[in-house]
Amino acid sequence: ALSHKATYKYSENFTPSILGYAQIAQTNFNVQTHRQIIGINPELSYKTKSLNLIAGIDLAHTSINGNRSIFALPKVETEVQIVPKFVTLYSIWSRTLQNNLFSEWIQFNPFIQMDAQLLPISKIEKRSAGFKGNYKNFSYNASLTQRIIKDAILFANDSINPRFFDMQIEKNMTVND
């Protein structure tokens, strides 16, 4: 994986940046797979004493064995200080891509088995909102977070040998944190 970020401080409040990245993998386990994610992510940051706003869009090109897709993935982060240092409201909405490689999953769980299927690239949407702050030596942070994962990788016990797990693909999964 390669990535590089360039930032320019335009003014006291505005900071544009651009991130370029590439993830390219060739695997030869049960199925020979050539996969890649190449993208560019321009962002704009606006910051004052009471407001912090980051907005951008991730333009990504994906390919698995020649099957190509193009994505435009938004990112918006906000922070507003209601009472300076005591109460800050924040929210996050972002979408990302996750390259699912069998070689990485086997490091996470050495007991998985894989049939001859291609692992998809997962699309992850994160929505979060909350408040945070501090008073003297006491700090707090409370939030609600929801992740929607398209083409998520799950593990299920193998019915023949329960010591092992089969990888399954869940088309649409919601996780509330």
Side-chain angles (χ1 to χ4, degrees), residues 35 62 64 69 71 96-100 105 118-125 148-154 167-174:
R35 56 177 60 229
T62 65
I64 300 179
S69 298
F71 296 93
T96 58
L97 298 175
Q98 177 181 327
N99 206 351
N100 294 311
W105 282 108
L118 286 175
L119 294 178
I121 295 174
S122 297
K123 283 122 338 251
I124 302 169
E125 179 176 354
I148 300 170
I149 306 169
K150 308 274 188 195
D151 296 325
I153 303 298
L154 299 178
M167 294 180 84
Q168 296 181 345
I169 299 168
E170 180 68 31
K171 287 295 179 193
N172 194 2
M173 183 173 78
T174 302

Side-chain angles (χ1 to χ4, degrees), residues 29-31 102 112-119 165-167:
F29 286 102
N30 292 345
V31 177
F102 182 70
I112 60 174
Q113 301 179 91
M114 181 178 160
D115 54 6
Q117 66 178 342
L118 286 175
L119 294 178
F165 295 95
D166 291 328
M167 294 180 84

Side-chain angles (χ1 to χ4, degrees), residues 7-17 43-55 77 79:
T7 304
Y8 175 72
K9 187 143 179 105
Y10 179 75
S11 70
E12 180 81 23
N13 298 342
F14 286 104
T15 306
S17 65
E43 287 184 358
L44 180 63
S45 174
Y46 176 76
K47 193 171 194 174
T48 65
K49 288 184 178 181
S50 62
L51 175 68
N52 187 14
L53 172 66
I54 299 172
E77 295 181 15
E79 271 190 20

Side-chain angles (χ1 to χ4, degrees), residues 56-77:
I57 190 156
D58 186 0
L59 303 171
H61 172 271
T62 65
S63 174
I64 300 179
N65 287 351
N67 294 329
R68 297 183 171 110
S69 298
I70 296 176
F71 296 93
L73 307 163
K75 175 184 176 182
V76 178
E77 295 181 15

Side-chain angles (χ1 to χ4, degrees), residues 122-139:
S122 297
K123 283 122 338 251
I124 302 169
E125 179 176 354
K126 181 180 178 182
R127 304 170 184 168
S128 183
F131 61 94
K132 62 183 178 180
N134 57 29
Y135 179 72
K136 295 185 180 182
N137 290 333
F138 177 74
S139 62

